[in-house]
Amino acid sequence: MEITALPTPPSTASPDNFDSRADDFLGALPQFQQELNTYAAALNSLSTNSVSTTSLAISVAEKTLTVETGKSYFTGMSVKIASTTNGSLWMIGDVLSYSTSTGALVVNVQVVQGSGTFSSWSVSLSFNGIVTPEQAPDLATLEQVNQQAFLLRAIGEPFALWTHLTGVDEPSNSGTAKFIKLTAGEDGSGEYNEGLLTSESVSGTAPDVVATAVIDYVPSPMNGQTVKLLNTSRQFIRPGSSGTEEDDQFASHTHPIGGILDYVGAGNGRVVGSTATLNSGATGGDETRPRNIGATYYMRIA
């Protein structure tokens, strides 16, 4: 469409017709605004609005759908995939890839509303920032906000959760971001670390357990690296050189015993003022540790 040209604007250089030109110019602005909005909507529809008949289930995961070709979707753009039959059912995520020739659109969905599987969708630009339910109650549940917060974790960062408390969610591995639980025995079918770890090894007896595994996820920059399964070995993390391990030990110390020892020697004679090695009775448990409380450790690997 063609936007109507604006009248000649007023100018102080032409004082004789300043008033009439000002009236004409200002009077034309409402129509100009309407035409400009119509043009902008047409451009937006042409470049970033589309429809799809791909069957998709509403969930936080990577989604692939086919839309029209020749659109202007690009990696990192946030889009909303909404059901055309019920606008309250939707998914929001970032574009991972788009083929202008085939229309194949891949989106990393991070926020959803509703559930079910549908095959009639509209795709449009959207906002995909991290929000709270209080800021946008119609855009996110508390669980969805938590999952978005996990995406702020750095790759290789071990972090702890109190998973024994009701309402605490584990990081989801349904999207492109991947996490591992630093626990042995979680790499089987249907378990948390399935498809992410290999060469798991557990040796020793408590409290001297050594537990490791190798990251086995090609897209991860940590692929092939050995990690310590802290939830199984129950080692503490302390500041220092990253990855350097130290065995438990006491600081060097003595226990002086005062007074003069008086005891009967090997013969019948009485020996006064001699010394002897004495051992106190044993007390305590099977390890040396400070007072503590357990937590479950995870790590982002991709």
Side-chain angles (χ1 to χ4, degrees), residues 9 30 43 93 96 136 144 146 150 170 186 199 215 217 226 235 253 269 275 282 291:
L43 285 178
L96 297 179
Q144 292 161 4
N146 286 342
F150 287 135
E170 292 183 315
E186 288 277 347
S199 302
I215 295 173
Y217 185 64
T226 299
Q235 292 170 284
H253 63 285
T275 61
R291 190 178 185 209

Side-chain angles (χ1 to χ4, degrees), residues 208 246-250 287-288:
D208 298 317
E246 294 179 314
D247 290 330
D248 60 328
Q249 69 173 12
F250 284 111
E287 66 176 342
T288 302

Side-chain angles (χ1 to χ4, degrees), residues 87-121:
S88 66
L89 305 174
W90 47 257
M91 300 177 283
I92 294 177
D94 296 333
V95 173
L96 297 179
S97 65
Y98 171 68
S99 171
T100 57
S101 59
T102 67
L105 176 65
V106 182
V107 179
N108 180 27
V109 172
Q110 297 170 314
V111 183
V112 300
Q113 179 167 286
S115 61
T117 300
F118 306 93
S119 57
S120 181
W121 304 97

Side-chain angles (χ1 to χ4, degrees), residues 170-191:
E170 292 183 315
S172 172
N173 279 328
S174 60
T176 54
K178 299 298 180 185
F179 300 82
I180 56 174
K181 182 188 293 185
L182 300 179
T183 303
E186 288 277 347
D187 57 351
S189 177
E191 295 180 307

Side-chain angles (χ1 to χ4, degrees), residues 39-64:
Y39 186 75
L43 285 178
N44 186 55
S45 177
L46 176 65
S47 61
T48 57
N49 282 2
S50 58
V51 295
S52 176
T53 57
T54 302
S55 179
L56 297 174
I58 295 178
S59 64
V60 176
E62 184 177 304
K63 304 291 181 180
T64 300

Side-chain angles (χ1 to χ4, degrees), residues 50-215:
S50 58
V51 295
S52 176
T53 57
T54 302
S55 179
L56 297 174
I58 295 178
S59 64
V60 176
E62 184 177 304
K63 304 291 181 180
T64 300
L65 61 160
T66 301
V67 299
E68 296 96 325
T69 60
K71 295 294 181 177
S72 297
Y73 300 116
F74 57 86
T75 301
M77 174 185 288
S78 296
V79 295
K80 181 177 184 179
I81 306 170
S83 168
T84 58
T85 58
N86 186 343
S88 66
L89 305 174
W90 47 257
M91 300 177 283
I92 294 177
D94 296 333
V95 173
L96 297 179
S97 65
Y98 171 68
S99 171
T100 57
S101 59
T102 67
L105 176 65
V106 182
V107 179
N108 180 27
V109 172
Q110 297 170 314
V111 183
V112 300
Q113 179 167 286
S115 61
T117 300
F118 306 93
S119 57
S120 181
W121 304 97
S122 64
V123 183
S124 59
L125 287 179
S126 183
F127 168 73
N128 195 23
I130 294 178
V131 295
T132 66
E134 292 77 15
Q135 292 170 324
D138 59 332
L139 289 182
T141 66
L142 185 57
E143 180 180 358
Q144 292 161 4
V145 172
N146 286 342
Q147 293 303 326
Q148 291 182 76
F150 287 135
L151 300 179
L152 299 178
R153 293 290 182 180
I155 291 176
E157 174 191 0
F159 60 94
L161 294 174
W162 273 358
T163 53
H164 68 288
L165 297 177
T166 301
V168 177
D169 300 312
E170 292 183 315
S172 172
N173 279 328
S174 60
T176 54
K178 299 298 180 185
F179 300 82
I180 56 174
K181 182 188 293 185
L182 300 179
T183 303
E186 288 277 347
D187 57 351
S189 177
E191 295 180 307
Y192 190 87
N193 294 331
E194 178 186 1
L196 300 174
L197 295 178
T198 189
S199 302
E200 184 178 290
S201 173
V202 179
S203 61
T205 57
D208 298 317
V209 174
V210 177
T212 63
V214 177
I215 295 173

Side-chain angles (χ1 to χ4, degrees), residues 5-30:
L6 290 171
T8 303
S11 172
T12 55
S14 302
D16 293 339
N17 54 25
F18 185 92
D19 290 345
S20 60
R21 286 184 176 180
D23 290 341
D24 293 341
F25 188 85
L26 293 176
L29 289 181

